[in-house]
Amino acid sequence: MNYTTTEDSEAAHLCEIYDDDGNSSYEDFIAEREYGVAHDERHYKLNKKAKVGTKIVCAGPKCNNRFVKKSYQQCFCCTRHKDQFWNRREAHFGYRKPI
């Protein structure tokens, strides 16, 4: 099954390959990524509003690490998750959309 897409990415091609086996589809991939981005944004907004010294959940993709907020700008448990969060949003929206 071939999908006509404007996105010519490796992920799109992999989804087409998996769809031939009946495991996944491009629409499922996009829907899951959209849900993930919205979920991460919710945590990001909550973490930005939280006071220093409160326990928060990391806003990184698929990270449920709980930690104490040490500075006013901290939203992630590590820099790797910060980079993953912003890269995932950029891949989804096509640009660095402000929150």
Side-chain angles (χ1 to χ4, degrees):
M1 186 177 257
N2 286 333
Y3 292 100
T4 307
T5 63
T6 57
E7 186 175 351
D8 191 29
S9 67
E10 181 180 356
H13 293 293
L14 287 174
C15 284
E16 289 177 4
I17 292 168
Y18 291 149
D19 191 39
D20 292 339
D21 298 332
N23 293 335
S24 183
S25 70
Y26 183 73
E27 288 84 12
D28 292 341
F29 168 75
I30 296 299
E32 182 180 336
R33 185 174 68 186
E34 185 173 343
Y35 171 77
V37 168
H39 182 263
D40 297 344
E41 282 182 358
R42 244 186 331 270
H43 281 295
Y44 180 81
K45 288 176 184 177
L46 289 172
N47 292 351
K48 278 295 194 186
K49 290 180 182 178
K51 302 272 185 199
V52 175
T54 59
K55 229 178 197 183
I56 58 175
V57 178
C58 180
K62 299 181 182 177
C63 179
N64 292 321
N65 189 15
R66 294 184 181 275
F67 62 97
V68 176
K69 187 172 181 173
K70 295 176 184 164
S71 64
Y72 74 94
Q73 73 266 24
Q74 187 177 16
C75 291
F76 306 94
C77 63
C78 63
T79 56
R80 190 176 107 229
H81 290 161
K82 174 189 65 82
D83 293 340
Q84 287 175 348
F85 172 83
W86 290 110
N87 290 341
R88 186 175 183 182
R89 286 189 85 251
E90 187 173 346
H92 181 69
F93 293 112
Y95 58 94
R96 190 149 180 181
K97 180 184 174 187
I99 293 180

